[in-house]
Amino acid sequence: MITDLIESRDLLEVKELAVDFGAAPAVRGVDLRLKRGETLGIVGESGSGKSVTALAVLGLLPGSASVRGSVRLEGRELVGLPNRELAKIRGNKIAMVFQDPLSAFTPVYRIGDQIVEALRIHQSLDRAAARKRAAELLDLVGIPEPERALDNFPHEFSGGMRQRAMIAMAIANDPDILLADEPTTALDVTIQAQVLDVLRKAQRETGAALVLVSHDLGVIAGMADRVAVMYAGRVVETAGVDELFARPRHPYTLGLIGAVPRLDTGGGPLVPIPGNPAALGDLPPGCPFAARCPLVQDRCRTAEPPLAGTDGHLAACVRADELAERRPAPSEVYPVPTVPPPAVSVPREEREQVLRVTGLTKTFPVLKGTVFKRRVGDVYAVDGVELDIRHGETLGLVGESGSGKSTTLFELLRLGRPESGRIELLGQDTAGLDRAGAHKLRADIQIVFQDPMASLDPRLPIGDVIAEPLLAQHAPRELIARRVPELLRQVGLEPAHAERYPHQFSGGQRQRISIARALAVQPRLLVLDEPVSALDVSVQAGVLNLLQQLKAELGLAYLFVSHDLSVIRHLSDRVSVMYLGRTVESGSVEAVFEQPRHPYTRALLSAVPLPDPPAERARTRVLLAGDPPSPTERQTGCRFRTRCQVYAALDADRRGRCEQQAPPLAQAAPGRDHAAACHYPEA
Amino acid sequence: MTTLITEATLPAAEAPAPGGRLRLVLSRLTAAKGVLVGGTIVLLLFLLAFGGPFITHWDYATPDYSALRQPPSGTHWFGTNGLGQDVFAQTVRGLQKSLIIGLLVALFSTVVASLVGACAGYFGGWIDRGLTFLVDLLLVFPSFLIITIISPKLKGAGWIAFVVLLAAFNWMITARVIRSMTRSLREREFVRAAQFMGVHPLRIIVRHILPNVASFLITDATVAVGGAVMSETALSYFGFGVRAPDVSLGTLLAAGTDQAPVFPWLFYFAAGLLVLFVLAINLIGDGLRDALDPTTEAARPARTSRSSK
């Protein structure tokens, strides 16, 4: 506290901020302070109150919310200020960058008009000057051809471009504070890296303080100067970013750090935090984290510990001092499940082939006209995918949105004749299957979907949900009655839960039910389509551990699709990288992650933020320019060259090869499991 | 199994019992008060309709010339009409017809509507186009005209033919709604999941699509019960369907409406029974809807009423 006084006065001071929605609290006494030019990261899981806190500062909460406490901007109280006064501050002193830029722009107005509007509300500028300034702002955030972009409508921009334009609008009036609420959550990693870069630049140009709300510890580690960790509507720990990540004093922070899979380390079980995030509706007395805390003591259950500590490192835990002194690793505090040794120990070459895909393509026609549809073009969704999975291994399929991952999966699961190319499942060519053969083969390939709520029928008790694939395979009744409780136990639920409906379970539990359903018919290959991307970090760790465990016990093969490279690194044995419908690199996880050969893979890897501030700062980034081109046009040559940093550095002669020939997926060295589709790969 | 940390400390529930959805829905259904009350009323109405003729010695058609338009009394419990016919005997006779017609028409039309609508929406393509064309065709046909033309030919076939005819012109709008609901359900992941598991399409419709549109179907069916009784009246009024001297609640109401202010017993007994019937059906429908929808707390039996957060 003393150091704070010596330094400049706080720009923003939040004290005892509390927000209630009706009877249910959302924020329960938050204290924050923000100095000029600094970046404060607010991190927490869903429902922790981080977004509500940000919105409360701006007075943007709906009328049903009651706000108590104090928010002072340069000493001026904002809580209870009439709307007209607040409007003068919003966009001028404090500006907001929202999570979903598509809904944050009015769809019927041009981007330029909206920025001009933001400028003219707070400054006395004529139209021409405001427009000129708007173009400068768009240029600043790296939008190409800013003059033309001003006349575009929001839907004509890609997600990354919209978020840049949003940032441009936010910094239009040189605000003192930028509030960014999950600004990159909806974006791909390479685009996320671009947008974070723009945010840094915007902050540098305007000298504004930045409040970055995120669930992603990696993003926070790379951006923030100070971090506040929120749990159940309160700040449970706050410290400088290095201090917090190196010496967490609250068991929740410690657990969060242990629960995140990391790009720079492989294998090993993660540290799951048991239980689910506390429901704010009915909090027990005492520390809200007590129910999940491995260090819980009797006194935790009686009174909620205050946020206390020294040197600006505060934690709301009775055992904070102990943790500060002992500095245990997350795995020393939390019980970590042991993953049994893999069931398969034969070398890869001798193992049975589970799935082999070569040269798979899938195009969708682009149709026009209402009565008579005519084909005006094609979307080359999948255009040359190669996959190879053997018994007992996990293949991670990585790619950004629009890279054709999902289309590839649906083509696999259709078990029909592919448009071109070949799909072999357990040695059987799917093109040659008849109906009965395909139906039989369905038992061997099962899928777990991304959204555990959408993939479970809300009107079916989960016992019936899990029995469904068995029924489809005409399993006898006794077998079903025996398998359902067994499966529930296997995924860590109780047999008695069979009578409950999906909505009675939390996200993580629902995903476990999905996994149980997929396992019911004892498949050989489990297709996991982004199975943890909808889950909170602490819950995600539990599901990932379960998957590892099941694989080891049952000798399953996984096709694990994800956009999250850290998760892939953690779980996979081999990895396959897709770009615009093509496989651009594949190989063992160690080979691909440690010595990426394709420039796209390198860019992808460098875009993933590490939850480790010193390492994150020390990294050199390869920032990709622009967005992926549209898949409706088929380019000659390499598809990645429009964004490729290697291509950009080549001389004209050597560029010719990239422009004319599509690079084949070539082995790095004979006998080595590492291939890349690049003419000039990194050695 | 190694040390597996379950994600939540769910309360240890009681021993597992097999049975699945059917049993769960039934147990929720029987726990709902509305269903019990509604069911009892319908049962009593049936008892009255079919037992009533035995407790009175009056016949619905034979006039009693000594009592014309008499108010309710010891001899004629519900009074008599202008021809001297006993209103009680007529009401119970009419109730027999209307109960059966109302229930069966609603049942038939809902079943047809849900199957046609769900198939059209689920399969798409030519099946969809064919079925939608059929629905549109029936919608633009003047159904009344067709019934008028066909019904003389069905004279011998009796009331069941009449029920089929009424149902046949009563399902199209529901089918269109079900079709559009199915089209959006078809894109949901749980339907996709079932397809990838190799579940037969008709089974997907019965297991996944229909339960998810059940709320609408049930509401629609309960409305259809009342509607069927009334449309039967309209037809009977023009001399089709139930013909004099036979009666239904509809014909009784049609005859009694204009005399209601002066001779209330001609109208209010039949009207009251119809209202009671529709009300009871609504109670049952609400209960059924709640039993099928797991998110409603009201109908859940106490032992599973706790939701695990």
Side-chain angles (χ1 to χ4, degrees):
Chain A
M1 290 305 107
I2 299 158
T3 46
D4 281 1
L5 287 174
I6 296 165
E7 284 173 43
S8 66
R9 213 173 69 158
D10 290 327
L11 178 64
L12 183 78
E13 193 180 12
V14 177
K15 261 194 182 156
E16 296 287 320
L17 180 75
V19 181
D20 295 334
F21 288 99
V27 173
R28 306 179 303 123
V30 163
D31 295 312
L32 295 170
R33 31 189 55 219
L34 188 67
K35 287 192 277 290
R36 232 165 248 288
E38 99 173 323
T39 302
L40 171 70
I42 302 182
V43 69
E45 294 181 286
S46 52
S48 61
K50 55 191 192 309
S51 292
V52 177
T53 306
L55 290 172
V57 167
L58 269 181
L60 284 178
L61 288 170
S64 59
S66 69
V67 182
R68 282 168 286 117
S70 129
V71 176
R72 283 173 179 275
L73 177 71
E74 296 176 312
R76 186 174 176 208
E77 180 61 51
L78 298 187
V79 172
L81 217 57
N83 233 332
R84 282 212 356 228
E85 293 293 312
L86 270 177
K88 284 185 196 156
I89 292 167
R90 285 184 209 139
N92 193 16
K93 291 264 183 198
I94 309 178
M96 182 104 186
V97 178
F98 292 93
Q99 173 174 355
D100 180 5
L102 186 55
S103 55
F105 277 111
T106 312
V108 294
Y109 290 113
R110 294 171 201 278
I111 295 275
D113 293 344
Q114 301 193 41
I115 300 179
V116 165
E117 187 191 17
L119 280 165
R120 288 180 28 127
I121 288 173
H122 296 292
Q123 298 174 33
S124 55
L125 284 171
D126 61 43
R127 278 209 87 80
R131 198 177 153 83
K132 196 160 155 281
R133 173 92 182 107
E136 284 169 21
L137 285 166
L138 287 186
D139 192 40
L140 179 78
V141 296
I143 288 178
E145 297 182 72
E147 279 292 340
R148 241 184 58 196
L150 283 177
D151 289 328
N152 282 3
F153 286 99
H155 71 265
E156 293 173 298
F157 275 13
S158 67
M161 295 258 280
R162 275 197 293 264
Q163 199 57 287
R164 285 155 187 262
M166 190 79 230
I167 294 170
M169 194 154 109
I171 60 172
N173 293 305
D174 257 331
D176 292 332
I177 300 173
L178 267 175
L179 274 177
D181 184 8
E182 303 263 11
T184 57
T185 304
L187 306 173
D188 282 318
V189 273
T190 59
I191 308 294
Q192 163 172 301
Q194 290 173 2
V195 169
L196 291 178
D197 203 49
V198 169
L199 259 182
R200 274 192 209 103
K201 193 173 169 194
Q203 196 189 1
R204 211 168 45 233
E205 295 286 321
T206 58
L210 175 66
V211 178
L212 182 68
V213 177
S214 180
H215 69 282
D216 188 331
L217 283 174
V219 170
I220 296 283
M223 296 286 292
D225 302 319
R226 276 193 312 121
V227 183
V229 181
M230 285 192 70
Y231 186 78
R234 280 192 70 200
V235 174
V236 293
E237 181 163 9
T238 173
V241 67
D242 294 294
E243 170 78 11
L244 185 96
F245 278 86
R247 288 174 285 278
R249 288 188 193 168
H250 195 285
Y252 177 64
T253 316
L254 189 69
L256 271 188
I257 293 170
V260 187
R262 290 182 57 158
L263 196 61
D264 48 355
T265 56
L270 296 167
V271 180
I273 304 179
N276 291 299
L280 281 161
D282 49 345
L283 281 177
C287 176
F289 189 61
R292 304 173 74 189
C293 185
L295 302 175
V296 68
Q297 293 174 333
D298 281 345
R299 55 182 167 152
C300 297
R301 297 208 175 83
T302 49
E304 200 166 348
L307 197 61
T310 48
D311 308 332
H313 189 158
L314 314 176
C317 180
V318 290
R319 299 178 71 176
D321 295 339
E322 207 178 309
L323 278 171
E325 205 170 297
R326 198 153 62 92
R327 293 176 56 189
S331 54
E332 291 168 34
V333 172
Y334 285 88
V336 179
T338 48
V339 174
V344 201
S345 51
V346 231
R348 177 158 200 273
E349 295 73 39
E350 292 162 29
R351 275 185 258 153
E352 186 197 356
Q353 190 118 43
V354 175
L355 178 76
R356 188 179 179 79
V357 175
T358 41
L360 181 71
T361 65
K362 171 78 185 172
T363 50
F364 295 103
V366 180
L367 300 173
K368 239 187 174 162
T370 44
V371 183
F372 299 101
K373 302 233 189 286
R374 59 211 155 77
R375 197 184 183 113
V376 292
D378 289 295
V379 177
Y380 299 94
V382 173
D383 192 14
V385 164
E386 320 270 326
L387 299 173
D388 172 17
I389 305 177
R390 285 175 192 261
H391 182 56
E393 78 179 5
T394 304
L395 175 71
L397 186 61
V398 192
E400 294 181 279
S401 50
S403 64
K405 292 174 304 205
S406 301
T407 313
T408 307
L409 291 191
F410 290 144
E411 279 301 290
L412 290 181
L413 289 159
R414 209 164 51 88
L415 296 181
R417 180 185 293 278
E419 207 169 87
S420 72
R422 202 176 148 83
I423 303 172
E424 269 174 63
L425 187 62
L426 297 165
Q428 294 187 58
D429 188 346
T430 55
L433 286 175
D434 56 1
R435 257 177 111 106
H439 189 80
K440 235 181 124 232
L441 207 54
R442 284 213 183 279
D444 289 316
I445 178 168
Q446 292 285 316
I447 183 168
V448 174
F449 284 98
Q450 170 176 6
D451 182 350
M453 190 72 240
S455 61
L456 302 176
D457 187 341
R459 298 258 163 131
L460 215 51
I462 63 153
D464 288 12
V465 166
I466 294 172
E468 182 137 57
L470 290 163
L471 281 172
Q473 293 293 333
H474 310 294
R477 206 171 270 276
E478 308 82 59
L479 179 74
I480 295 176
R482 193 163 47 80
R483 276 293 274 165
V484 170
E486 189 179 301
L487 284 159
L488 280 169
R489 229 175 269 130
Q490 206 160 27
V491 297
L493 296 169
E494 282 172 48
H497 294 163
E499 282 195 11
R500 299 196 180 171
Y501 287 93
H503 75 98
Q504 291 171 284
F505 294 88
S506 69
Q509 290 171 327
R510 276 184 230 138
Q511 203 56 296
R512 285 165 189 263
I513 296 165
S514 277
I515 293 170
R517 170 173 69 179
L519 291 177
V521 283
Q522 292 170 316
R524 308 284 298 279
L525 174 65
L526 201 58
V527 176
L528 301 151
D529 186 6
E530 306 256 8
V532 291
S533 63
L535 306 178
D536 277 320
V537 192
S538 67
V539 177
Q540 161 185 315
V543 174
L544 288 177
N545 284 345
L546 172 72
L547 285 172
Q548 271 187 322
Q549 212 164 28
L550 289 171
K551 182 183 132 190
E553 278 169 16
L554 307 172
L556 295 166
Y558 289 155
L559 174 57
F560 190 98
V561 179
S562 181
H563 68 279
D564 187 335
L565 286 130
S566 317
V567 171
I568 294 269
R569 167 92 214 225
H570 179 77
L571 202 74
S572 306
D573 303 309
R574 297 183 69 250
V575 63
S576 179
V577 184
M578 280 180 78
Y579 183 75
L580 272 188
R582 276 185 93 88
T583 305
V584 294
E585 183 156 3
S586 70
S588 70
V589 160
E590 294 79 26
V592 174
F593 278 72
E594 270 149 39
Q595 292 159 325
R597 287 166 60 79
H598 198 281
Y600 177 63
T601 316
R602 260 177 284 147
L604 211 54
L605 287 173
S606 91
V608 180
L610 294 177
D612 182 354
E616 176 69 14
R617 276 193 296 267
R619 283 205 309 169
T620 48
R621 286 185 183 283
V622 188
L623 268 187
L624 282 186
D627 297 309
S630 155
T632 49
E633 43 201 282
R634 193 173 213 161
Q635 296 169 322
T636 53
C638 177
R639 293 188 148 201
F640 182 60
R641 68 168 193 275
T642 50
R643 298 172 79 194
C644 181
Q645 69 277 17
V646 172
Y647 172 79
L650 289 177
D651 53 50
D653 293 352
R654 298 174 67 191
R655 278 186 179 188
R657 211 170 144 208
C658 296
E659 280 154 22
Q660 271 129 38
Q661 294 171 21
L665 197 63
Q667 216 69 31
R672 231 177 95 200
D673 182 20
H674 192 180
C678 182
H679 290 306
Y680 305 103
E682 194 100 322
Chain B
M1 207 77 225
T2 46
T3 52
L4 189 90
I5 299 140
T6 50
E7 281 187 62
T9 45
L10 285 154
E14 62 289 343
R21 168 157 67 183
L22 194 66
R23 202 180 53 77
L24 272 179
V25 168
L26 279 180
S27 76
R28 291 176 56 141
L29 203 56
T30 46
K33 275 204 191 79
V35 175
L36 284 181
V37 174
T40 316
I41 294 176
V42 171
L43 204 70
L44 288 177
L45 283 175
F46 267 96
L47 268 179
L48 177 69
F50 290 93
F54 299 107
I55 56 169
T56 171
H57 61 275
W58 297 106
D59 177 60
Y60 71 93
T62 325
D64 172 11
Y65 294 111
S66 62
L68 298 179
R69 284 210 185 92
Q70 289 301 306
S73 65
T75 36
H76 295 286
W77 298 337
F78 285 5
T80 57
N81 67 5
L83 296 175
Q85 289 159 327
D86 182 68
V87 177
F88 176 77
Q90 283 199 317
T91 308
V92 293
R93 171 81 186 177
L95 195 59
Q96 284 179 15
K97 283 262 150 39
S98 293
L99 281 178
I100 289 172
I101 288 174
L103 287 178
L104 284 184
V105 168
L107 190 71
F108 281 180
S109 63
T110 307
V111 167
V112 172
S114 57
L115 284 181
V116 171
C119 284
Y122 183 80
F123 293 109
W126 285 109
I127 296 181
D128 181 24
R129 262 172 261 180
L131 289 174
T132 313
F133 179 73
L134 177 77
V135 167
D136 288 348
L137 199 69
L138 284 173
L139 271 177
V140 294
F141 263 174
S143 56
F144 200 79
L145 198 68
I146 297 172
I147 296 180
T148 320
I149 296 167
I150 295 179
S151 56
K153 302 216 167 85
L154 295 175
K155 247 177 208 158
W159 58 269
I160 191 79
F162 189 63
V163 164
V164 171
L165 213 56
L166 271 178
F169 289 97
N170 206 17
W171 58 273
M172 290 85 72
I173 293 175
T174 315
R176 292 206 70 142
V177 179
I178 294 295
R179 172 180 166 271
S180 60
M181 289 170 94
T182 307
R183 281 172 71 99
S184 68
L185 277 174
R186 188 179 61 169
E187 303 302 320
R188 297 271 291 273
E189 272 182 0
F190 64 85
V191 176
R192 274 238 165 110
Q195 287 167 346
F196 288 143
M197 279 181 260
V199 181
H200 193 271
L202 288 178
R203 208 192 173 98
I204 292 181
I205 289 178
V206 173
R207 246 173 100 86
H208 296 292
I209 305 274
L210 292 184
N212 277 288
V213 297
S215 302
F216 170 76
L217 274 180
I218 290 165
T219 314
D220 190 71
T222 48
V223 174
V225 170
V229 173
M230 293 326 288
S231 58
E232 171 258 331
T233 315
L235 285 173
S236 303
Y237 184 76
F238 288 101
F240 310 106
V242 179
R243 265 173 255 209
D246 206 347
V247 288
S248 71
L249 280 192
T251 56
L252 286 177
L253 284 174
T257 311
D258 38 354
Q259 305 183 35
V262 198
F263 312 108
W265 61 91
L266 290 181
F267 178 75
Y268 284 108
F269 287 113
L273 284 174
L274 183 62
V275 168
L276 200 63
F277 176 44
V278 173
L279 210 66
I281 294 293
N282 268 309
L283 281 175
I284 296 176
D286 282 354
L288 196 62
R289 204 185 56 208
D290 287 347
L292 279 169
D293 183 358
T295 50
T296 52
E297 293 286 329
R300 187 169 303 147
R303 61 196 181 86
T304 54
S305 67
R306 189 197 166 281
S307 83
S308 61
K309 279 276 171 78

